[in-house]
């Protein structure tokens, strides 16, 4: 009988908490905040999440953690398992969810190679589903919360306990986040989980590719390999370039390369390649022959 009681207690759903409806800073409707400041932002593309909302009769949203051009990120408390999960809620205009595709691919690899070296340093999804919003359907990924790394948005730090997440939730109860309301949409100011003492974890695979040969732009601009800038076919070796630059950034005060021109991609590419040449010397002739784009930046006397 005691064992049955224990099982019953373990599976009993926790009650959702009540979050304050007053006591927070109200931001003027004329002031742009959070995702509103992103290029090409449209309010109707984003799911109008509310703090305190219970998703799928299970995940209660307790804080906003961040935003991007294709999603917003929320901390939730699992009322069934009594633990915390991150909900990444995508815009409803995303026709091809590359990140979800990559996560599924990584999950298949993890099943085939469970002991693969470094697998614990790659973020995984716990669950996925769709939500119906007022203007369309939204993909949602459920993931383990991670702490932020000040050096990179894609390299996060695993948390060793839920203590800091509980603190984030209590902050939202005791000191509610500033917010603005436009119609039925509330835009919250994010809280940031800055600490973590666990393993470095690779995350955010929206720009990741599957396969040995690729083409087109990829990678954050300062970490972009010359093959990518010059429109050459590229493969896994460009990751070696990015990892090397990331390691430099983590160890040194100044970056090797940066965004040089925010208005013109062509001018930025020219400055970026010039900085590479100044540091490494001119590229070998066989490299220049791989793309006609190289003629824009180097002449035959290289």
């Amino acid at each position: 009988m005691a064992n049955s009681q224990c099982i019953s207690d373990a599976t009993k759903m926790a009650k959702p908490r009540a979050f304050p409806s007053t006591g927070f800073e109200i931001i003027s409707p004329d002031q742009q905040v959070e995702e509103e400041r992103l290029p090409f932002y449209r309010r109707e593309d984003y799911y109008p999440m509310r703090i305190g909302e219970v998703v799928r009769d299970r995940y209660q949203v307790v804080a906003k953690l961040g935003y991007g051009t294709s999603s917003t990120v929320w901390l939730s408390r699992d009322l069934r398992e009594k633990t915390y999960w991150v909900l990444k809620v995508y815009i409803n205009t995303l026709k091809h969810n590359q990140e979800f595709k990559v996560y599924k691919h990584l999950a298949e690899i993890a099943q085939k190679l469970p002991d693969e070296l470094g697998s614990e340093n790659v973020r995984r999804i716990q669950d996925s589903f769709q939500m119906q919003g007022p203007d369309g359907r939204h993909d949602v990924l459920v993931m383990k919360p991670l702490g932020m790394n000040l050096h990179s948005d894609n390299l996060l730090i695993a948390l060793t306990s839920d203590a800091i997440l509980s603190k984030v939730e209590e902050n939202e109860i005791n000191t509610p986040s500033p917010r603005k309301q436009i119609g039925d949409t509330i835009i919250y100011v994010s809280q940031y989980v800055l600490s973590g003492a666990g393993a470095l974890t690779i995350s955010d695979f929206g720009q990741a590719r599957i396969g040995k040969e690729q083409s087109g732009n990829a990678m954050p601009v300062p970490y972009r390999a010359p093959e990518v800038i010059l429109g050459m076919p590229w493969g896994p070796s460009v990751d070696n370039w990015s990892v090397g630059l990331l390691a430099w950034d983590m160890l040194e005060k100044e970056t090797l390369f940066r965004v040089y021109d925010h208005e013109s991609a062509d001018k930025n590419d020219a400055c970026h390649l010039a900085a590479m040449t100044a540091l490494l010397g001119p590229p070998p002739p066989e490299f220049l022959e791989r793309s006609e784009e190289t003629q824009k930046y180097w002449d035959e006397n290289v």
Side-chain angles (χ1 to χ4, degrees):
M1 190 69 175
N3 289 339
S4 299
Q5 183 64 46
C6 288
I7 294 173
S8 176
D9 290 343
T11 57
K12 185 178 179 181
M13 294 281 286
K15 290 184 178 181
R17 298 185 71 179
F19 284 79
S21 57
T22 59
F24 43 77
E25 177 189 349
I26 299 175
I27 299 170
S28 168
D30 298 330
Q31 181 180 344
Q32 290 188 330
V33 295
E34 300 276 299
E35 56 266 27
E36 290 183 304
R37 294 178 295 182
L38 296 173
F40 312 115
Y41 167 80
R42 296 197 320 161
R43 188 169 74 250
E44 61 268 27
D45 294 347
Y46 288 79
Y47 181 81
M49 188 71 79
R50 299 285 184 100
I51 290 176
E53 180 175 344
V54 178
V55 177
R56 291 200 112 193
D57 298 321
R58 177 175 179 177
Y59 305 106
Q60 184 178 27
V61 174
V62 300
K64 183 180 180 183
L65 297 182
Y67 62 92
T69 56
S70 63
S71 64
T72 50
V73 181
W74 306 82
L75 180 65
S76 73
R77 186 162 50 89
D78 189 338
L79 302 177
R80 183 185 303 168
E81 302 293 338
K82 302 176 182 61
T83 188
Y84 291 98
W85 297 105
V86 160
L87 304 182
K88 188 166 189 176
V89 184
Y90 292 88
I91 56 176
N92 55 31
T93 54
L94 198 63
K95 292 182 169 50
H96 174 76
N97 194 329
Q98 177 68 10
E99 185 166 36
F100 183 35
K101 181 180 178 181
V102 171
Y103 272 121
K104 288 177 64 177
H105 178 71
L106 292 172
E108 292 170 0
I109 293 176
Q111 286 184 343
K112 296 176 183 177
L113 302 169
D115 299 323
E116 182 75 2
L117 183 65
S119 60
E120 70 277 6
N121 300 103
V122 179
R123 195 175 206 175
R124 302 181 187 182
I125 57 172
Q126 174 72 14
D127 191 12
S128 63
F129 53 88
Q130 286 193 323
M131 294 173 59
Q132 181 64 47
D135 297 292
R137 297 188 67 80
H138 302 259
D139 291 335
V140 182
L141 298 185
V142 182
M143 299 177 286
K144 189 175 181 179
L146 298 170
M148 291 186 67
N149 177 8
L150 297 179
H151 293 282
S152 170
D153 291 336
N154 298 75
L155 191 61
L156 305 180
I157 304 174
L159 302 173
T160 54
S161 78
D162 283 349
I164 189 169
L165 303 175
S166 179
K167 184 177 180 180
V168 170
E169 181 179 4
E170 293 305 317
N171 283 345
E172 196 60 53
I173 292 283
N174 299 319
T175 313
S177 298
R179 64 203 65 182
K180 65 179 288 188
Q181 183 163 358
I182 304 176
D184 293 331
T185 299
I186 297 177
I187 300 177
Y188 300 88
V189 173
S190 302
Q191 293 195 53
Y192 294 99
V193 182
L194 292 176
S195 37
L200 290 176
T201 306
I202 301 172
S203 67
D204 292 343
F205 296 102
Q207 295 297 320
R209 307 287 184 89
I210 301 171
K212 292 185 177 180
E213 184 168 310
Q214 303 291 336
S215 61
N217 280 337
M219 310 145 72
V221 172
Y223 300 97
R224 197 164 283 174
E227 298 97 311
V228 179
I229 297 174
L230 293 165
M232 299 176 180
W234 52 266
S237 62
V238 301
D239 288 334
N240 298 335
W241 177 276
S242 294
V243 169
L245 291 176
L246 181 61
W248 175 277
D249 288 352
M250 294 179 70
L251 295 172
E252 299 294 333
K253 293 181 179 180
E254 295 186 6
T255 61
L256 288 177
F257 308 114
R258 56 183 174 83
V259 176
Y260 300 91
D261 193 309
H262 291 270
E263 303 298 327
S264 169
D266 288 340
K267 290 181 180 179
N268 184 77
D269 287 346
C271 292
H272 198 165
L273 292 167
M276 292 179 183
T277 303
L279 183 67
L280 302 172
E286 56 268 26
F287 179 84
L288 297 177
E289 293 171 0
R290 290 169 53 187
S291 170
E292 293 183 357
E293 284 290 303
T294 61
Q295 298 175 18
K296 293 166 55 178
Y297 307 104
W298 292 279
D299 57 32
E300 297 178 355
N301 298 321
V302 172

